[in-house]
Amino acid sequence: MAQTIVEKILSAHAGLDQCEPGEFIVADIDYAMLTDARAPGAMKAVARMQEAPLHFVTKTALVLDHYSPPPHLEAAQIHGKMRAFAQQTGAQIYDIGEGICHQLLPEKGHVTSGNLVVGTDSHSVTYGAFNALGMGVEGTDLAAVMAYGKLWFQVPSSIRVELQGRLQPGVWAKDITLYMLGHLGADGANYQAIEYVGTAVSAMSIDSRMTLCNHAAELGAKAALLEADQKTLDWLKAHGAREPQPVTADAGARYAKTFAINVSELSPQVARRHLVDDIINVGEAAGQKIQAALVGTCTNGRLEDIRQVAAVLKGHRLAPGVRMIVTPASRQIYLRALKEGLVETIVSAGATFESAGCGTCISITGHFTPGDAETVISSANRNFKGRLGNDSADIWLGSAATVAASALRGVITDPREIDHVNWSQL
């Protein structure tokens, strides 16, 4: 029987010739990840499994990224327990400031094509950018993985999305993901896998492909996957990944839904306050005043995004009354941005950098709380009410380019209107 990418990967890891949507299987895991946000539950579950040796723990990364840096004693104590656990068991640990889990796993060579990777965060779908099956699980699931290296899954059905054409200068992968949210809705791919194919995907950088897959979590997707091409293989080799085992869908594979998007016709998109799927063209929001801007998170904190911000702000200052913070997705990205002079350009324009981590995205650290009735434009993945710590503030979502253009003018702005930027060179 012809199979989709997710079906092929799950079949191979379950020791089966094939599997079908809806079927329950037990599959071998290639790598696992535990964040500090889910560590307490995982540690309690491990304590209840005292008789089970943690055979898989050396293929597990503990990432201190959500409480980074720890904003209170409880978080600091969680970090202390994670460090001690890593020292005792041999688990890989990435301490505060090293970066966001979904950037670190591929960046540190823990993910390769054909892998099955689980992590305690819904945005583990990001690993699909490398033709790997990444899925989010709970802390108790992760405890079982550390002990047995296996986990049960229900095989998801797949949606095939062909991205035709090529993005116009100033339009980015983020705009595709927002358009998808407007088209399908926040529950439009619940417990399904999305396969992205087409000329637009082939033209994308690895950074953009990670954004494309990452945002599938907001669609309710269990996974998002791309095929591996030479860009993928070169990137994996450069980052010390294990030998890739690329997986492609069979001709005749069955999909729950298929559709095509001509991205050549796409304009920058924004999500309006409180709803990730209330999507409009940026032009419809023109003139919406903002007081704050955020670029970063696991969705858009990569070097490509920081370059966009620097291109918009170079030689200029933020609009009066606007504050801006940039959070790189990893320490390595921050160091590269420093070497390229991007940090100096952005800071000179009046913005501020924060160390790599997730804290600002969900206001765990409290470093970027807006005031009452203030409007924030953000490149993050979610704009739920109270997401940044204040129910009385509004959050809009857009690409890093859209966020930077808006911060420059003080109102939500189409980045293509910033005439001193040659978007085709970025």
Side-chain angles (χ1 to χ4, degrees), residues 51-363:
E51 77 287 353
L54 301 179
H55 295 299
F56 199 76
V57 74
T58 56
K59 294 182 180 179
T60 303
L62 311 185
V63 187
L64 283 58
D65 61 352
H66 281 63
Y67 299 106
S68 179
H72 45 66
L73 178 59
E74 181 183 1
Q77 300 287 53
I78 290 169
H79 286 180
K81 290 177 181 178
M82 292 178 74
R83 294 185 187 105
F85 181 81
Q87 187 173 21
Q88 292 163 8
T89 63
Q92 173 70 56
I93 188 163
Y94 293 108
D95 219 311
I96 56 174
E98 191 63 33
I100 300 172
C101 54
H102 308 307
Q103 180 66 30
L104 289 177
L105 258 63
E107 191 178 273
K108 300 297 185 180
H110 299 308
V111 176
T112 197
S113 299
N115 273 180
L116 173 54
V117 182
V118 294
T120 55
D121 188 276
S122 62
H123 291 100
S124 297
V125 294
T126 307
Y127 315 137
F130 303 96
N131 190 230
L133 176 54
M135 293 191 282
V137 298
E138 282 297 331
T140 48
D141 298 315
L142 212 288
V145 171
M146 286 193 285
Y148 303 107
K150 300 175 183 288
L151 200 61
W152 70 269
F153 301 94
Q154 184 177 23
V155 180
S157 59
S158 296
I159 299 172
R160 180 180 171 89
V161 181
E162 182 177 356
L163 300 179
Q164 303 168 339
R166 187 163 186 156
L167 290 169
Q168 296 301 305
V171 186
W172 301 89
K174 177 77 164 194
D175 299 306
I176 297 175
T177 63
L178 292 174
Y179 177 85
M180 286 279 293
L181 279 161
H183 182 74
L184 291 179
D187 59 355
N190 275 357
Y191 209 91
Q192 294 178 299
I194 302 174
E195 282 185 21
Y196 286 108
V197 298
T199 55
V201 176
S202 300
M204 284 182 191
S205 67
I206 295 297
D207 282 2
S208 285
R209 294 177 189 188
M210 292 178 74
T211 296
L212 187 69
C213 290
N214 177 284
H215 242 323
E218 278 62 63
L219 289 160
K222 187 64 176 174
L225 300 117
L226 310 181
E227 294 180 350
D229 60 9
Q230 197 58 49
K231 284 183 187 177
T232 314
L233 301 180
D234 290 345
W235 198 97
L236 290 170
K237 183 177 181 180
H239 289 81
R242 299 180 298 281
E243 186 67 25
Q245 302 292 329
V247 180
T248 59
D250 293 327
R254 292 179 298 176
Y255 294 90
K257 187 183 300 183
T258 62
F259 60 91
I261 301 171
N262 184 353
V263 305
S264 302
E265 301 172 354
L266 193 64
S267 61
Q269 309 284 295
V270 289
R272 289 188 277 203
R273 49 192 174 273
H274 308 328
L275 295 171
V276 295
D277 56 1
D278 185 3
I279 308 298
I280 58 175
N281 292 328
V282 69
E284 298 177 60
Q288 168 65 52
K289 191 171 177 59
I290 67 161
Q291 286 75 41
L294 167 63
V295 171
T297 83
C298 63
T299 309
N300 285 102
R302 283 172 276 279
L303 192 62
E304 180 175 82
D305 303 299
I306 297 173
R307 286 172 177 158
Q308 293 170 35
V309 176
V312 170
L313 298 183
K314 187 173 185 178
H316 296 77
R317 295 282 298 180
L318 300 180
V322 173
R323 58 198 184 276
M324 183 179 194
I325 193 165
V326 179
T327 307
S330 73
R331 189 191 307 275
Q332 184 178 105
I333 289 172
Y334 180 64
L335 290 173
R336 289 189 62 185
L338 275 170
K339 289 180 181 178
E340 291 187 17
L342 308 177
V343 174
E344 181 178 0
T345 294
I346 293 168
V347 172
S348 296
T352 301
F353 271 79
E354 186 175 45
S355 62
C358 305
T360 301
C361 176
I362 46 180
S363 198

